[in-house]
Amino acid sequence: MKGVSNHPLRAAAERLRRSERLVVLTGAGMSKESGIPTFRDALEGVWARFDPEELATPQAFQRNPRLVWEWYEMRRLQVLQVQPHAGHYALAALEDRLPQVVVITQNVDGLHRRAGSSDVIELHGNITQHKCFADCQGAPTLLDIATLSQTEVPPRCPHCGAYVRPNVVWFNEFLPVEALERARDLCLRADVVLIVGTSGIVQPAASLPYIAKQHGRAFLIDVNPQRDEIAPICDIFLQGTAGSVLPQLVELLDG
Ligand code: OAD
């Protein structure tokens, strides 16, 4: 058998090649090269005067529904204008090379699915979707804003009259139960976890690599231009961007 490479990229590719239950955990850094600022940069320009944690909360929405609605509409339109980059396509390409690949993302931009990943768990929802603030028909009560009257901003739920809101998780809110349960279960059973573009700060997503490591004995590979909170428990830290490292991993897999 070829000696295990001591070059981190090669060693990571060799471990990926042998994976049977791969989980990929992505954060805002995964979408940076598509032109979507990471969460903290999101307030460039006109929004610079607001703290995101004051905008992305149910309380902020109730205090000023129009402001929060417009902030999310600005981000939604931004997301609709960008494209997945080579890193997203590389993750989708893993599905043709490995027996199981599930992407668990904190991102709300939908870019993994647009790049062709077929099994994506959106822990924080999806900014291109909308729902009734009261979830009056069950959680989530998804609504198509194209069919709603735009006389009011935000529009109103046609069922109960509550405001319509983006279908994303806000601070102080619980994550979608089924998504989080499935994510935890996959991390318990994963043999390899590839972590890309997350600072590893925001819970409960940040606990997933620990679950995989401590309870599931998974091999952790971290991809980030700078050391993040998760790097210390990872087996391999690949310093670089998603758009450059992930295509190289696929190339080595094919080599
Ligand atoms: P952060 O903005 O906290 O962290 C982004 C990470 O991506 C950082 O560690 C960067 O070093 C790294 N990064 C930057 N450019 C990169 C690139 N080109 N390739 C790879 N990595 C890169 O984003 P998250 O960890 O995803 O939640 O946490 C953000 C969460 O906090 C969001 O999901 C949001 C917020 O609470 C909600 O909106 C509910």
Side-chain angles (χ1 to χ4, degrees):
M1 184 176 104
K2 268 194 316 182
V4 174
S5 156
N6 58 7
H7 184 287
L9 256 178
R10 286 191 189 292
E14 278 154 20
R15 189 62 192 83
L16 275 176
R17 184 180 287 114
R18 288 184 283 115
S19 72
E20 291 174 5
R21 294 176 308 286
L22 172 66
V23 164
V24 185
L25 175 64
T26 68
M30 179 74 225
S31 297
K32 184 86 177 278
E33 289 151 283
S34 286
I36 299 179
T38 58
F39 195 75
R40 285 179 229 334
D41 314 334
L43 298 174
E44 285 154 355
V46 70
W47 300 100
R49 65 183 188 280
F50 296 103
D51 170 353
E53 298 196 12
E54 285 171 17
L55 279 168
T57 67
Q59 295 75 13
F61 184 72
Q62 286 172 309
R63 249 193 332 268
N64 194 333
R66 186 183 189 98
L67 174 72
V68 175
W69 174 266
E70 288 176 344
W71 186 53
Y72 275 92
E73 278 299 283
M74 179 271 286
R75 292 176 61 198
R76 181 174 73 90
L77 296 176
Q78 190 182 52
V79 160
L80 294 175
Q81 283 153 13
V82 302
Q83 301 300 325
H85 59 72
H88 291 103
Y89 289 109
L91 290 182
L94 289 178
E95 294 185 16
D96 305 329
R97 293 157 172 83
L98 302 174
Q100 179 191 304
V101 181
V102 183
V103 176
I104 300 172
T105 187
Q106 300 170 85
N107 300 337
V108 295
D109 53 41
L111 290 178
H112 285 299
R113 281 211 186 88
R114 285 176 53 191
S117 287
S118 61
D119 193 350
V120 180
I121 298 175
E122 292 176 319
L123 290 178
H124 291 166
N126 186 316
I127 201 167
T128 64
Q129 295 172 350
H130 296 89
K131 69 174 192 173
C132 165
F133 184 79
D135 274 336
C136 62
Q137 309 297 308
T141 298
L142 293 177
L143 296 166
D144 175 0
I145 55 167
T147 64
L148 301 180
S149 141
Q150 300 293 331
T151 49
E152 244 193 296
V153 176
R156 294 274 182 180
C157 168
H159 307 295
C160 73
Y163 278 129
V164 176
R165 55 167 280 182
N167 181 33
V168 297
V169 174
W170 281 334
F171 289 101
N172 316 327
E173 286 191 319
F174 291 109
L175 276 62
V177 175
E178 301 76 24
L180 184 55
E181 275 174 9
R182 182 166 180 245
R184 282 186 172 136
D185 179 51
L186 284 162
C187 286
L188 270 175
R189 294 187 293 114
D191 55 355
V192 180
V193 178
L194 175 60
I195 301 145
V196 187
T198 182
S199 56
I201 295 170
V202 178
Q203 295 296 351
S207 64
L208 294 173
Y210 293 86
I211 290 173
K213 189 73 182 167
Q214 284 160 356
H215 303 285
R217 305 270 175 278
F219 187 92
L220 302 188
I221 301 166
D222 189 22
V223 178
N224 197 318
Q226 51 190 307
R227 291 190 75 79
D228 49 50
E229 295 287 310
I230 298 166
I233 66 162
C234 287
D235 298 279
I236 297 181
F237 174 66
L238 298 175
Q239 181 147 23
T241 68
S244 64
V245 171
L246 297 175
Q248 290 179 68
L249 283 176
V250 173
E251 214 175 299
L252 287 167
L253 271 179
D254 292 344

